[in-house]
Amino acid sequence: MRYLPLTNEDREDMRRVIGLENVNQLFSNVPNSVSLDPTFNLPNHKTEMEVGRILSGIANKNMNSNQVPFFLGAGAYKHHIPATVDHIIQRSEFLTSYTPYQPEISQGTLQYLFEFQTQVSLMTGMDVSNASMYDGSTSSAEAVSMAKRITKRNKVVISPTLHPQYAEVIKTLISADEDSIDYKFSENLDFSSLISKIDEDVSCVVVQNPDFFGSCHSLEELADHIHSKGALLIVVVNEVISLGMMKSPGDMGADIVACEGQSLGNPLNFGGPYIGLMSTKDKYVRQLPGRIVGETNDMSGEKGFVLTLATREQHIRREKATSNICTNSGLCSLAFTIHLSLLGERGFKKLSKLNHEAAIKFYDKLKNLEGFKVRNKSFFNEFTLELPISAAIFVEKMAGKGVLAGVPVSRLANQDDSFSNLLLVASSEINSDSDREDFIKLAKEVCYE
Amino acid sequence: MTDIYYTKDHEWIKVDGGEGLVGITSYASEQLGDIVFVELPQKGISFDQGKDVAVIESVKAASEIYSPASGEIIETNSSLEENPEIINDDPLVAGWLYKIKIINKEELKNLMNEEEYNKLIGV
Amino acid sequence: MNSNRGLDHDEKLLFEVGDVNRTGVDLSEPENLSQMLGDSFSDSEIGLAGLSEPETVRHYVRLSRKNYSIDAGLYPLGSCTMKHNPRLNEKMARLEGFSEIHPLQPISTCQGALELIDLISSWLKELTGMAAVTMTPKAGAQGELCGMMAIKQALLNKNESHRKIVLVPDSAHGTNPATAAFLGFEVKTIKSNREGLIDFDDFKKNIDKNFAGVMITNPNTCGLFETDIVKISELTHKSGGYLYCDGANFNAVVGKLKPGDLGIDAMHINLHKTFSTPHGGGGPGSGPVVFSERLEKFCPTPLVENDKGEYDLIESLDGKGLSNSFGRLNVFHGQMGMFVRAMSYMLSHGADGLRQVSEDAVLNANYLRASLNDRLTPAFEGYCMHEILFSDDFLKDTGVETLDFAKAMIDEGYHPMTIYFPLVIHGALLVEPTETESKQSLDHFISTLRDLVDRLKEDSDSFKAAPVFTPIRRLDETQAARKPILRWKEEPLIAV
């Protein structure tokens, strides 16, 4: 077997050194009632070529986004990833190292995480960031749990336009009773109704921006109201490319920011692995969960980096830790930071603009299309389209004609009928004029023929 | 005349009239090593004897501080927020943690005197 | 001053080498259409430093050379299973049919993705002998959370939420008590006995009417198989509780026995340990959880359903089979990229190869044990499983501590083993060689460690000073924690 270096002679020599007759003696602590070497209904080992064929065969059954015009978003976005990114993250030293517990031989990882923390702090407009979480949804749930610790209050108000699966994750992970979470999925984000819900027991208000339906919001006034009640504002960002053109969450008064960072450096991967970003204000840093890298000096005075503030974490505080989180999304954060270093300020802003303009061009085509209506007044690179037919049927039919057209809102709203004709459509720098023309042409066919 | 009492968890309380000043012992500060952060209770909050009121963190450990007496927090040592190393340098005087208004002096009988405490830590 | 040394290059921060005007990506020119962002539009400077492509490559390549890796050498971190990461896995995960598909595209267009999830699910169920599996947890710690949430949900379902007490051995990984506490359980620690195993009497003593369950790592973090595990599971079930098994050390028994035969109710599997997906400097991981029939119906959303080769994805809580589910752990469907890698590994090994994996892993650890036990001090008598635990007794009276010994290993070209864990052994050193080390590699490691021990008496100063051959020496962690500098700033904060 190609991954196992021991030869049978090696094994025999080693058994002799240990003083073994047979290898099963090493498993003698296993209770007798448990059978060793049971039969597994599984095939035996395969060559590299065989495995390649099996998995390629399975992969080929999927319609992939490189083959067809593609307009899906709703929390996962397709962007062009420079070739350099995947090359560097496959370097052995990054790919096959562990969490940087031994800083003297992990400065590579520690330094890029420090740079990553700086980038995340800057783009979200916050003071500090951790070294990443699993994804945007778990970041959001951790943010809520952090707000509850800081304010020592229990209730959570969630904007109706938060990604429904994010809301489900928050409900599950903070294991709260139904009454303490206020969330009713709806297309309308009405600030005055949100404000009316904030009382002395509310720990935080969670707002997604751009919201699930693609609309953009200015949050300063809302933030003032929240703060006047002693609660915190958590801003969730699904599409980080938007931060190149929008006021940062920090500038708008956020106390904690939770983002999905997949758009930079990470392919769609059918939903994972992705990368959660989390940033906050200096004063809350000791309540921030997850790994954090800090700068310090070595014994000869040279600058270096270490994992720090570890006493918040599970391996020290055990049952009193801020979270049970252990890993971060190391390699995904590397991909993120390389992509962002390649872009730089200029590239990032330009990319942001290209995404916005791709959506505007699409919007301009759709707004005059009979029977179709764009529901948004504002948007970044994604908006909600009202169709003359069911969105779920529409996307299947469009797929049949070779276009991945969007995400039916009803799929995320537990099949709620009131959303049945709404479709989320995302645009990005990958979409060409001909992609948009194909969409329009086929959409008419699908709906009216 | 101030009286000083000790807990088995290595806190001390200096009692002056109805008030008590609380800190950790030299022994505890040595055991913890370099202290990097102290989380102090809020003024105005009340605690029962033996309840955890504060946390002292070193690089590799976080230790709870258990209140030696029941009462209300009336002052905390804010200089520790910026300079937690004061506890290492001077645990018995400058490194005090908080001041408490003692509500039940009888409870102090549950604590040790200096001689008993020294015996506990084997001095 | 130039602080480069041979191949070890000093590399400044991105923000010191790059600036806001440089970019390494060519993009087409925007057309300056009028924006549709409303009043949330902003054009102010963010401050992101950029680099050209060659500068980017150089920056990260230079950084990479400051890292140790399993590709470069033995990485004996106990309980971490740093085994070889096959490159076929990487190639498979990058097939566009897997990497370039969207989690919410129409079900008819992602049948292959669902088939892959179904395939890995069936392998994991068969290898563990368990009734069900959920693939969504994003890492081992989230897998633990998932398993314990299913237990909590099952108790709730029986109207037994008064059962609040979760027993956790003192040798457990820190995530165990953190997880239980996070869910509102009350954690009670049970003692290990002198053999490094759970003290069955102490376990028994701690069971009362509020007993919810027990979290056991098996093999445990002392590198030993819990002999009483079946007795423990029987008593647990008789007492109305559930047995959670931390599967971090599954590599010791994969293909050798079925954990389901031990009577466990839930166990997470770290795909990044047992099934060779890369650790990536701290993630991404993946932590699927297998369940017994007792817990099956409480598992989280979503589920993949296989109806005679037609796959469907059940996403909503009122969907089929999920009415008792405890909810959703994260957005979408789990770490697909990791599933593909793990599947590539499992198919490569097959059932026969996986049995050889655990046998070789355990053989390698015991070979180290037999070859080092006259120099280092094994914490317990007898054979170990896939990792060997030493105490710091061999360092007694040398003035050298476990940390110093670990740092001296770095100067000898090795990543140290796990140190100071488990907490039950003083100055613990936990060594896990894995099955992908050759005998030659182990022999070299053995002679290095033996030489180091022999040097302890005459040359303890060099241990205290180590490492000296690294890009950087020992770092001041106190300074880092007292005055945290957690990001670059234009005028860096100077710690006082």
Side-chain angles (χ1 to χ4, degrees):
Chain A
M1 207 293 138
R2 59 187 181 276
Y3 305 147
L4 298 176
L6 295 186
T7 64
N8 279 334
E9 282 142 26
D10 289 336
R11 293 184 182 110
E12 205 178 308
D13 286 349
M14 291 162 75
R15 281 201 298 270
R16 207 175 310 125
V17 171
I18 303 167
L20 292 175
E21 298 279 314
N22 63 67
V23 75
N24 275 1
Q25 283 173 268
L26 296 175
F27 294 84
S28 56
N29 260 4
V30 176
N32 291 331
S33 60
V34 176
S35 54
L36 278 187
D37 303 321
T39 313
F40 292 95
N41 185 19
L42 296 169
N44 281 343
H45 65 276
K46 289 186 179 2
T47 64
E48 187 168 295
M49 193 170 73
E50 287 169 324
V51 175
R53 279 181 185 159
I54 292 170
L55 291 176
S56 300
I58 297 176
N60 287 340
K61 294 178 187 170
N62 296 320
M63 181 184 283
N64 86 58
S65 59
N66 286 345
Q67 298 168 312
V68 292
F70 179 87
F71 298 93
L72 276 73
Y77 299 88
K78 183 172 175 67
H79 295 283
H80 173 75
I81 302 170
T84 306
V85 174
D86 196 43
H87 170 77
I88 295 173
I89 67 167
Q90 286 199 73
R91 278 189 68 90
S92 297
E93 300 87 341
F94 290 132
L95 185 74
T96 77
S97 52
Y98 197 70
T99 304
Y101 285 137
Q102 298 289 344
E104 300 89 344
I105 44 175
S106 312
Q107 284 299 303
T109 298
L110 288 161
Q111 184 170 332
Y112 87 63
L113 287 175
F114 184 82
E115 294 170 355
F116 167 87
Q117 288 173 187
T118 308
Q119 287 172 324
V120 173
S121 307
L122 286 168
M123 63 197 285
T124 55
M126 303 301 283
D127 299 327
V128 286
S129 139
N130 69 12
S132 81
M133 314 287 283
Y134 306 135
D135 64 18
S137 67
T138 43
S139 271
S140 303
E142 291 281 2
V144 169
S145 154
M146 178 174 159
K148 288 175 69 179
R149 285 195 300 276
I150 292 169
T151 58
K152 302 194 168 67
R153 296 177 180 186
N154 207 30
K155 275 163 61 180
V156 180
V157 174
I158 299 178
S159 137
T161 56
L162 177 69
H163 193 299
Q165 290 192 347
Y166 278 49
E168 283 178 45
V169 173
I170 293 172
K171 278 186 191 170
T172 311
L173 289 183
I174 70 168
S175 53
D177 49 277
E178 289 290 313
D179 303 340
S180 63
I181 293 193
D182 188 300
Y183 174 70
K184 177 81 180 75
F185 181 55
S186 141
E187 207 183 342
N188 302 311
L189 172 52
D190 169 13
F191 283 162
S192 57
S193 127
L194 268 191
I195 290 166
S196 70
K197 289 172 179 167
I198 309 168
D199 60 28
E200 264 67 51
D201 298 324
V202 169
S203 61
C204 59
V205 178
V206 184
V207 181
Q208 181 178 332
N209 202 23
D211 70 21
F212 178 72
F213 296 92
S215 298
C216 304
H217 306 279
S218 202
L219 303 172
E220 292 92 333
E221 249 177 80
L222 176 68
D224 288 344
H225 279 281
I226 293 169
H227 293 148
S228 72
K229 295 280 171 63
L232 304 184
L233 170 62
I234 295 173
V235 175
V236 174
V237 181
N238 264 189
E239 171 52 297
V240 285
I241 305 297
S242 69
L243 296 171
M245 281 193 89
M246 287 175 70
K247 284 186 276 192
S248 74
D251 281 350
M252 293 196 274
D255 298 284
I256 308 172
V257 183
C259 309
E260 173 53 67
Q262 169 267 332
S263 284
L264 285 168
N266 290 279
L268 289 167
N269 280 331
F270 199 54
Y274 285 179
I275 170 182
L277 315 182
M278 195 167 178
S279 56
T280 189
K281 297 177 173 171
D282 269 333
K283 61 179 169 184
Y284 302 134
V285 66
R286 285 178 198 266
Q287 291 298 336
L288 189 63
R291 295 279 146 86
I292 300 177
V293 174
E295 184 187 311
T296 186
N297 293 311
D298 77 356
M299 51 206 281
S300 54
E302 255 188 87
K303 188 166 91 173
F305 303 92
V306 288
L307 289 176
T308 190
L309 307 183
T311 42
R312 302 160 297 113
E313 293 186 68
Q314 45 75 26
H315 62 280
I316 291 179
R317 298 222 74 185
R318 296 176 81 86
E319 68 267 22
K320 289 195 169 146
T322 51
S323 159
N324 85 334
I325 196 164
C326 188
T327 52
N328 56 4
S329 281
L331 210 63
C332 300
S333 60
L334 178 62
F336 177 102
T337 190
I338 297 169
H339 193 176
L340 196 50
S341 306
L342 278 164
L343 287 166
E345 176 94 8
R346 264 173 55 188
F348 184 61
K349 288 197 153 168
K350 205 176 196 182
L351 180 64
S352 190
K353 214 164 186 182
L354 287 171
N355 271 261
H356 188 43
E357 292 191 350
I360 294 173
K361 287 180 196 168
F362 201 20
Y363 169 78
D364 285 342
K365 280 193 188 310
L366 287 164
K367 72 180 173 194
N368 299 321
L369 193 62
E370 205 190 310
F372 291 74
K373 186 178 168 220
V374 175
R375 311 263 294 191
N376 298 53
K377 290 196 181 67
S378 64
F379 57 82
F380 170 64
N381 69 349
E382 185 170 25
F383 48 73
T384 307
L385 188 60
E386 190 179 334
L387 304 171
I389 63 168
S390 143
I393 293 169
F394 178 80
V395 292
E396 284 288 352
K397 285 189 168 172
M398 289 290 278
K401 292 180 182 287
V403 173
L404 287 170
V407 177
V409 172
S410 61
R411 177 160 175 187
L412 290 145
N414 289 344
Q415 319 297 333
D416 184 335
D417 284 344
S418 59
F419 299 104
S420 68
N421 286 16
L422 299 188
L423 183 73
L424 284 179
V425 279
S427 301
S428 87
E429 77 283 1
I430 62 156
N431 295 115
S432 63
D433 284 336
S434 89
D435 287 351
R436 289 183 277 269
E437 278 154 23
D438 283 353
F439 182 104
I440 302 279
K441 185 172 126 262
L442 296 168
K444 282 193 276 192
E445 281 178 36
V446 159
C447 294
Y448 297 120
E449 281 173 19
Chain B
M1 174 68 203
T2 36
D3 293 320
I4 183 159
Y5 300 93
Y6 297 86
T7 72
K8 61 174 176 26
D9 302 305
H10 314 287
E11 293 93 7
W12 52 256
I13 180 165
K14 282 180 203 164
V15 181
D16 189 0
E19 293 177 354
L21 200 63
V22 177
I24 64 168
T25 65
S26 309
Y27 175 82
S29 90
E30 278 161 30
Q31 292 292 311
L32 282 167
D34 289 342
I35 290 165
V36 298
F37 182 67
V38 184
E39 191 184 312
L40 293 168
Q42 269 180 1
K43 253 198 289 195
I45 298 184
S46 293
F47 291 90
D48 288 341
Q49 186 180 39
K51 282 278 173 276
D52 46 328
V53 290
V55 180
I56 295 189
E57 296 184 6
S58 62
V59 176
K60 303 276 184 207
S63 305
E64 312 289 337
I65 300 303
Y66 303 97
S67 188
S70 306
E72 184 193 321
I73 308 292
I74 47 179
E75 201 181 334
T76 60
N77 186 353
S78 54
S79 58
L80 298 178
E81 284 163 24
E82 283 297 307
N83 300 298
E85 60 273 19
I86 296 173
I87 300 179
N88 289 118
D89 301 339
D90 188 7
L92 299 180
V93 182
W96 64 279
L97 299 173
Y98 64 89
K99 199 183 263 182
I100 190 168
K101 193 162 158 195
I102 301 173
I103 52 169
N104 180 6
K105 278 200 159 186
E106 283 296 300
E107 276 179 357
L108 298 172
K109 288 183 182 155
N110 304 332
L111 306 176
M112 287 174 273
N113 63 27
E114 188 159 356
E115 196 181 327
E116 288 165 330
Y117 179 72
N118 283 339
K119 212 159 124 192
L120 175 83
I121 57 172
V123 176
Chain C
M1 201 184 78
N2 182 352
S3 48
N4 296 338
R5 279 170 294 206
L7 287 177
D8 170 31
H9 297 107
D10 184 41
E11 182 61 12
K12 285 187 168 31
L13 283 172
L14 166 67
F15 295 86
E16 294 161 342
V17 290
D19 60 58
V20 291
N21 292 315
R22 255 180 291 179
T23 180
V25 181
D26 291 328
L27 294 163
S28 57
E29 284 307 314
E31 295 166 32
N32 290 321
L33 307 174
S34 54
Q35 58 91 5
M36 303 266 312
L37 294 159
D39 53 5
S40 57
F41 171 77
S42 165
D43 198 24
S44 57
E45 186 176 296
I46 302 166
L48 297 168
L51 295 169
S52 65
E53 181 174 315
E55 292 169 300
T56 305
V57 170
R58 188 163 293 167
H59 179 65
Y60 290 101
V61 167
R62 283 182 170 223
L63 287 184
S64 77
R65 295 170 75 142
K66 298 173 190 296
N67 274 2
Y68 193 89
S69 66
I70 179 68
D71 281 352
L74 190 149
Y75 213 128
L77 276 174
S79 274
C80 299
T81 312
M82 296 297 287
K83 63 168 73 179
H84 170 65
N85 303 141
R87 289 313 192 272
L88 177 64
N89 302 356
E90 296 304 310
K91 188 176 170 191
M92 293 298 103
R94 284 167 174 78
L95 291 170
E96 291 189 347
F98 292 131
S99 63
E100 300 295 340
I101 53 174
H102 190 283
L104 298 174
Q105 63 187 57
I107 298 298
S108 64
T109 66
C110 58
Q111 286 290 302
L114 300 180
E115 180 181 339
L116 193 281
I117 294 178
D118 188 60
L119 182 65
I120 188 169
S121 299
S122 65
W123 274 70
L124 293 177
K125 283 189 286 188
E126 181 64 17
L127 284 170
T128 55
M130 298 288 279
V133 63
T134 181
M135 295 302 298
T136 57
K138 297 237 155 179
Q142 212 190 27
E144 266 176 44
L145 196 63
C146 172
M148 293 306 288
M149 286 181 115
I151 290 173
K152 192 176 170 183
Q153 186 75 3
L155 291 170
L156 202 67
N157 195 258
K158 290 195 287 185
N159 286 321
E160 291 188 355
S161 34
H162 65 277
R163 290 182 177 268
K164 278 271 179 245
I165 294 178
V166 168
L167 303 181
V168 180
D170 50 10
S171 60
H173 195 261
T175 51
N176 292 176
T179 300
F182 187 78
L183 293 176
F185 287 113
E186 196 182 310
V187 177
K188 248 188 178 172
T189 307
I190 46 175
K191 280 185 287 206
S192 303
N193 62 19
R194 250 177 296 169
E195 284 83 45
L197 302 169
I198 291 172
D199 186 327
F200 185 71
D201 291 330
D202 194 46
F203 169 69
K204 207 167 154 183
K205 227 169 45 202
N206 275 295
I207 292 182
D208 59 20
K209 62 179 188 346
N210 295 324
F211 173 64
V214 54
M215 299 179 82
I216 294 179
T217 309
N218 194 27
N220 68 21
T221 61
C222 301
L224 304 169
F225 196 92
E226 291 286 358
T227 313
D228 287 337
I229 185 81
V230 175
K231 268 165 75 185
I232 289 170
S233 75
E234 282 168 2
L235 183 60
T236 297
H237 295 150
K238 217 178 79 190
S239 316
Y242 295 88
L243 171 54
Y244 184 83
C245 183
D246 181 324
N249 293 336
F250 189 41
N251 204 47
V253 295
V254 61
K256 192 70 188 166
L257 58 82
K258 297 185 180 181
D261 290 346
L262 306 172
I264 63 174
D265 292 302
M267 177 176 98
H268 76 263
I269 297 161
N270 305 83
L271 297 185
H272 48 285
K273 294 181 180 175
T274 313
F275 297 109
S276 82
T277 74
H279 281 79
S286 179
V289 178
V290 287
F291 291 108
S292 66
E293 276 169 18
R294 287 154 40 96
L295 289 180
E296 180 173 6
K297 64 176 174 179
F298 305 106
C299 74
T301 52
L303 270 184
V304 172
E305 194 186 53
N306 177 359
D307 184 12
K308 300 185 193 88
E310 281 272 325
Y311 298 94
D312 198 7
L313 188 66
I314 306 179
E315 294 175 282
S316 67
L317 271 175
D318 46 13
K320 203 162 138 194
L322 286 171
S323 53
N324 288 296
S325 163
F326 69 75
R328 175 178 279 281
L329 275 172
N330 39 56
V331 68
F332 309 134
H333 337 300
Q335 308 282 62
M336 182 67 172
M338 299 296 129
F339 304 160
V340 179
R341 287 172 175 88
M343 203 57 243
S344 156
Y345 176 83
M346 286 185 212
L347 287 170
S348 294
H349 268 302
D352 57 336
L354 287 172
R355 186 180 69 227
Q356 196 67 57
V357 163
S358 55
E359 286 184 1
D360 284 1
V362 175
L363 187 68
N364 276 355
N366 279 282
Y367 181 66
L368 287 184
R369 185 183 196 286
S371 312
L372 290 169
N373 66 2
D374 60 336
R375 287 294 188 280
L376 281 76
T377 31
F380 301 103
E381 299 273 313
Y383 301 131
C384 58
M385 296 300 284
H386 68 310
E387 57 190 351
I388 159 76
L389 177 62
F390 297 101
S391 77
D392 62 358
D393 276 4
F394 72 103
L395 297 172
K396 219 183 205 156
D397 302 327
T398 60
V400 175
E401 289 172 31
T402 297
L403 182 72
D404 307 319
F405 190 81
K407 297 296 184 195
M409 284 172 67
I410 295 176
D411 277 340
E412 303 297 323
Y414 283 107
H415 193 287
M417 62 286 276
T418 295
I419 53 174
Y420 300 111
F421 180 81
L423 308 174
V424 291
I425 293 300
H426 196 264
L429 304 98
L430 186 63
V431 184
E432 180 182 1
T434 83
E435 75 283 2
T436 59
E437 291 306 319
S438 67
K439 181 169 176 294
Q440 277 165 319
S441 160
L442 296 178
D443 285 337
H444 190 269
F445 182 63
I446 289 162
S447 73
T448 304
L449 286 191
R450 292 182 71 90
D451 289 349
L452 272 180
V453 174
D454 292 342
R455 244 175 54 200
L456 278 170
K457 287 243 162 67
E458 65 251 34
D459 189 18
S460 63
D461 287 352
S462 70
F463 288 82
K464 289 279 175 202
V468 294
F469 300 131
T470 42
I472 198 147
R473 305 281 302 281
R474 279 196 220 185
L475 289 141
D476 186 345
E477 297 189 29
T478 303
Q479 179 193 326
R482 269 189 190 155
K483 305 269 186 278
I485 303 175
L486 307 176
R487 59 176 280 191
W488 173 87
K489 277 189 182 149
E490 199 96 47
E491 286 165 301
L493 297 167
I494 312 283
V496 184

